[in-house]
Amino acid sequence: MDQQLRHACIEALLNHTSDNIYFKDASSRFMLVNRSMATWFGLPGPESFIGKTDADLFAAAHAGEALADERALVAGEVDIIRKEEQETWPDGRVTWVSTVKRPLVDDHGRVVGTFGISRDITERRRAEDSIHRTTRQYEELVAIVNRSPAVVFQWGADPNWPVQSVSDNVRRFGFDPEALRSGEASYASFVHPDDIESVRDGLDRAIADGHDHYTLDYRLVCRDGRIRHVEELGIIRREADGRISSYQGLVVDVTERHEAEAELAEYRTRLEQMVGERTRDLQIINRRLEEENARRRASEDALKESEQRYRHLLDTVTDYVYTVELREGRPVATHHGPGCLAVTGFAPEEYERNPFLWFEMVVAEDRPEVLRQSHRVLETGSAPPVEHRLKRKDGTIRWVRSSVAARRDEAGRLAGYDGLVKDITEPHEAREARVRAERETMEARQHETLERADRLSSLGIMAAGVAHEVNNPLQGMLSHLDAVRRALPPDFARLRNLDMVERGIESIASLVQRLLWIGAGPDEGDDRGCVFAEAIGFVTDLLNAQFQKRNVKIAVQARALHARMAIPQRELVQVLTNLLMNARDAMAEGGTVTISCDCTGTDTAIAIRDTGSGIPKDVLPRIFSPFFTTKGAKGTGLGLSVAESLVRNRQGRIEVQSEPGAGSTFTIHLPAVPEARK
């Protein structure tokens, strides 16, 4: 082959192969590359490579590794054949190539550089990486399955279900997974003989119904002879023509669940037996009652009376029993006795269908109290009875009392509790009516007492006015009478008549003085004064009901609650009553009256603060004037006047602080009475 033809062949190979072909000098600079390589690098043509090195094209790490390989190749130290290289590009891209590099020798046998062929294997490497990841994930999934209680399987569709695949955790049933996969035994040989037909029937029904999944519950005979209940959740695999190819799914050990259900069924059976025995006892009692009634039929009148009593007895049977079962401290079932129909209108079956019916029928406002009783019996094993309302099926509201009693198992753990529900509507309504009647009677008495106090106050101030008007002329008459007596000789015959006139005038003066205390009791114990706590206690008891109707609250915040003051208790009660009534009238929309008492040395200060509308500044100087009022026809104008007069007569005073819109404070100052020495 001549030189020209050889050159043409090489040129054709270079320009038409998809591999990258390149030639480098001894300094690893590109001398020649093919067109595929220029395309690979995104350069205009092969001539763009002339004089460049890998450092101009790749990241430093890959360029350095390639330079080291080529130097070792030129030195004859290595052969580079199908080396898989990771190429890192300046923009961060990563590609893979399979490279063959050889020394470039001239006609004299000298190594003048290197040449190489690189094939792109990036997609292959990515596929291999994906396979590795998938394999690792599969291995992790297998490990998870083998640690779980669910055995993954695939049985063949043959009648005995040969094992095609099974997870290693089948060892939990005593079977060797490798022995099963090898076909030494079929899965059908492990199914309990009494269950094999039901398993086949279950599969046949699923297939006949066209289902692609099924659920079976049966027993499995383990290698060591143990019997385990299992639940099989499977998928039916079919060929393209619809033929069954295999069954695939999970086998889960549910032995503990079956044992718990059996125990629960046994307990329910015992409970039903107990209920049956109780029912039979009641039936016996009922027969005895009927026999007793039959013996009383001798007299028609007696029979009617007996029948009425019996019917009344049945109508007033308002109790029923319910039972709550617990598991791990939580309610799992509730059973209601037959008597629930009479009390609530709901039959026991309705409670079975709706486990929350017992709570839904409780009136919403009473549900927190019912829940507290339930939580308390769960936490402590006991709870006091609660009274609450429930809504019967016919919509009527009834009051009931619910009592509970705990039940414990052999280990002393709380296993449940029994409850008794009793209809107490009639007694409850009777009690409420009695309380209302007592409250209304008390309020009427308090109202009457207040009216009497107000009348006495008015009468007292009127008596004070009368005493003032009458007493002055009497004193003048006494003065003139004394002047006449001194002007007459001692032996004047009619002097005795003057004495009789003087005694009459003094009798009238004494009568006028007593008018000041009309309606008040005798001043017994005035020298000892009275205790603040006793007076304010009497007043608040007297006024509380009326104040509540007006949405006014009385708050007593006294540091000197037991302070003793130089004033009779009846007078202090009158003063406090008048001031509190005045404060109540100042709070048309309701509010709070705060009463405090402090004792400093010889002075006792009682402050009454309201949150009312306050007193205008132009009205403030006249509030203690008799018959002055801002209440119109509703007021007498005597309340504050009487209070101020009573306090002043006991060497005390009343101070007032008020701002319109910010309320008022009346402070009573009275002399303190020291404690008697023992």
Side-chain angles (χ1 to χ4, degrees):
M1 180 182 295
D2 59 16
Q3 191 71 17
Q4 185 176 1
L5 180 58
R6 179 182 296 177
H7 181 75
C9 291
I10 293 174
E11 186 73 19
L13 178 63
L14 286 173
N15 292 329
H16 292 86
T17 181
S18 61
D19 294 337
N20 298 334
I21 301 176
Y22 50 88
F23 297 86
K24 296 182 179 181
D25 60 17
S27 298
S28 291
R29 288 191 296 268
F30 287 99
M31 299 185 298
L32 176 66
V33 301
N34 66 344
R35 191 175 298 159
S36 175
M37 187 166 179
T39 303
W40 172 256
F41 280 90
L43 294 176
E47 64 278 359
S48 301
F49 283 84
I50 305 304
K52 296 182 182 296
T53 67
D54 286 334
D56 298 320
L57 304 170
F58 296 105
H62 175 62
E65 182 182 352
L67 179 60
D69 286 347
E70 290 166 0
R71 287 178 177 173
L73 185 63
V74 170
E77 297 174 356
V78 297
D79 285 330
I80 299 176
I81 299 175
R82 295 188 182 88
K83 178 181 180 181
E84 295 188 357
E85 297 179 295
Q86 178 180 316
E87 297 176 334
T88 305
W89 299 72
D91 61 1
R93 288 185 301 118
V94 175
T95 57
W96 287 86
V97 294
S98 176
T99 300
V100 176
K101 290 184 179 179
R102 301 295 298 165
L104 182 61
V105 181
D106 63 8
D107 293 340
H108 302 290
R110 292 175 299 181
V111 177
V112 296
T114 61
F115 71 93
I117 301 174
S118 296
R119 177 169 293 170
D120 181 13
I121 60 170
T122 303
E123 293 302 323
R124 193 199 78 193
R125 285 299 297 258
R126 289 176 180 168
E128 290 174 352
D129 289 345
S130 177
I131 292 172
H132 291 159
R133 285 195 301 272
T134 302
T135 301
R136 186 169 59 254
Q137 292 171 354
Y138 172 76
E139 292 172 348
E140 293 172 352
L141 182 60
V142 169
I144 292 172
V145 169
N146 287 333
R147 289 195 298 270
S148 74
V151 176
V152 180
F153 69 87
Q154 183 170 339
W155 323 133
D158 294 344
N160 291 325
W161 310 317
V163 178
Q164 296 178 348
S165 176
V166 69
S167 56
D168 290 346
N169 61 341
V170 74
R171 290 189 177 90
R172 69 187 297 113
F173 298 119
F175 303 129
D176 181 4
E178 292 301 330
L180 291 176
R181 296 181 192 121
S182 66
E184 290 184 7
S186 65
Y187 186 72
S189 63
F190 307 130
V191 178
H192 194 284
D194 294 342
D195 296 345
I196 188 69
E197 290 304 321
S198 64
V199 173
R200 295 188 189 279
D201 291 342
L203 281 174
D204 291 343
R205 281 196 303 272
I207 294 170
D209 293 339
H211 295 160
D212 57 359
H213 60 276
Y214 61 90
T215 301
L216 300 175
D217 195 314
Y218 55 90
R219 289 169 293 175
L220 202 65
V221 182
C222 300
R223 179 68 72 182
D224 58 4
R226 290 179 298 120
I227 306 297
R228 306 298 290 177
H229 281 270
V230 298
E231 186 177 56
E232 182 177 330
L233 309 172
I235 297 174
I236 302 172
R237 298 292 186 188
R238 290 180 170 85
E239 300 289 356
D241 58 2
R243 289 182 296 106
I244 307 297
S245 61
S246 62
Y247 306 101
Q248 185 176 5
L250 302 173
V251 172
V252 183
D253 190 338
V254 294
T255 304
E256 286 73 16
R257 188 186 75 190
H258 270 263
E259 292 173 349
E261 290 174 349
E263 183 179 351
L264 180 61
E266 181 181 357
Y267 181 79
R268 180 173 294 180
T269 300
R270 292 202 305 270
L271 182 61
E272 290 175 350
Q273 291 173 349
M274 293 172 60
V275 172
E277 292 172 358
R278 295 285 178 87
T279 302
R280 285 191 293 274
D281 292 342
L282 290 175
Q283 290 173 344
I284 293 172
I285 294 173
N286 188 53
R287 284 197 299 271
R288 290 176 179 174
L289 286 173
E290 291 177 349
E291 292 172 358
E292 180 68 18
N293 289 334
R295 285 193 295 269
R296 295 181 180 181
R297 288 174 183 162
S299 171
E300 185 175 351
D301 293 338
L303 173 62
K304 291 179 180 180
E305 181 182 354
S306 176
E307 288 177 349
Q308 290 174 355
R309 286 201 302 269
Y310 182 63
R311 288 172 183 169
H312 179 70
L313 177 63
L314 291 180
D315 290 339
T316 56
V317 171
T318 57
D319 301 355
Y320 83 89
V321 177
Y322 65 90
T323 299
V324 177
E325 306 297 337
L326 303 178
R327 184 181 300 163
E328 298 179 356
R330 297 179 62 85
V332 295
T334 303
H335 307 289
H336 292 254
C340 64
L341 182 62
V343 177
T344 70
F346 294 99
E349 307 83 57
E350 294 178 273
Y351 289 97
E352 294 291 337
R353 289 195 297 270
N354 182 3
F356 300 101
L357 179 57
W358 70 273
F359 186 70
E360 293 171 356
M361 67 182 182
V362 178
V363 173
E365 292 83 353
D366 298 348
R367 290 176 183 175
E369 185 68 22
V370 175
L371 287 178
R372 278 193 291 273
Q373 183 194 43
S374 178
H375 292 163
R376 184 166 179 181
V377 74
L378 293 177
E379 293 171 358
T380 66
S382 65
V386 298
E387 295 183 1
H388 63 87
R389 292 164 294 172
L390 60 79
K391 187 174 183 180
R392 284 174 46 89
K393 189 174 183 179
D394 59 9
T396 57
I397 303 298
R398 304 293 291 179
W399 276 91
V400 298
R401 179 185 295 112
S402 176
S403 307
V404 295
R407 286 183 290 101
R408 300 185 179 276
D409 58 17
E410 294 81 359
R413 294 185 299 267
L414 188 64
Y417 60 89
D418 300 319
L420 175 67
V421 176
K422 181 179 182 64
D423 190 327
I424 60 168
T425 303
E426 283 72 20
H428 187 276
E429 291 177 348
R431 184 170 67 247
E432 289 292 313
R434 186 171 62 255
V435 170
R436 283 196 303 271
E438 292 174 353
R439 183 169 60 249
E440 291 171 357
T441 301
M442 178 64 70
E443 290 174 356
R445 289 176 180 173
Q446 291 175 347
H447 183 68
E448 180 182 353
T449 302
L450 288 175
E451 287 184 347
R452 181 176 180 273
D454 197 34
R455 288 196 301 270
L456 289 176
S457 173
S458 301
L459 188 58
I461 199 67
M462 183 182 297
V466 171
H468 178 74
E469 295 298 328
V470 174
N471 198 48
N472 288 340
L474 289 176
Q475 295 301 318
M477 293 170 66
L478 286 173
S479 297
H480 288 293
L481 185 62
D482 185 60
V484 171
R485 180 184 286 109
R486 287 196 303 272
L488 294 175
D491 56 352
F492 184 66
R494 296 294 184 178
L495 195 61
R496 182 172 173 274
N497 296 89
L498 293 178
D499 291 338
M500 293 177 63
V501 171
E502 183 179 20
R503 286 197 299 273
I505 293 173
E506 289 176 347
S507 176
I508 294 172
S510 176
L511 177 61
V512 169
Q513 185 64 32
R514 286 198 297 272
L515 284 175
L516 293 173
W517 307 112
I518 290 177
D523 291 340
E524 296 177 2
D526 286 356
D527 57 334
R528 295 183 297 105
C530 73
V531 177
F532 171 73
E534 297 174 358
I536 195 63
F538 176 82
V539 172
T540 54
D541 288 345
L542 184 67
L543 300 180
N544 246 335
Q546 292 198 19
F547 274 46
Q548 287 176 1
K549 287 183 177 180
R550 299 280 289 273
N551 198 26
V552 176
K553 179 181 178 183
I554 300 177
V556 179
Q557 300 174 353
R559 286 187 293 181
L561 190 62
H562 298 285
R564 186 178 291 276
M565 291 155 285
I567 186 172
Q569 180 170 323
R570 60 179 174 76
E571 294 184 9
L572 183 58
V573 166
Q574 180 70 57
V575 172
L576 293 174
T577 300
N578 290 358
L579 293 179
L580 285 172
M581 295 288 284
N582 208 58
R584 181 202 67 182
D585 294 340
M587 296 182 288
E589 302 298 327
T592 300
V593 181
T594 304
I595 307 169
S596 62
C597 180
D598 291 314
C599 187
T600 56
T602 60
D603 181 67
T604 302
I606 303 172
I608 299 176
R609 293 185 295 275
D610 64 58
T611 57
S613 56
I615 304 173
K617 291 187 181 298
D618 59 331
V619 173
L620 202 57
R622 296 184 289 164
I623 60 174
F624 292 118
S625 300
F627 302 107
F628 175 78
T629 180
T630 60
K631 303 176 186 176
K634 294 182 179 179
T636 64
L638 295 174
L640 291 179
S641 175
V642 170
E644 193 274 338
S645 176
L646 291 173
V647 172
R648 186 177 67 254
N649 289 340
R650 298 298 173 177
Q651 287 74 51
R653 68 187 186 278
I654 299 179
E655 298 175 350
V656 185
Q657 292 179 338
S658 181
E659 289 291 335
S664 304
T665 300
F666 285 74
T667 304
I668 307 167
H669 292 275
L670 286 166
V673 176
E675 292 291 334
R677 293 185 178 180
K678 297 181 179 179

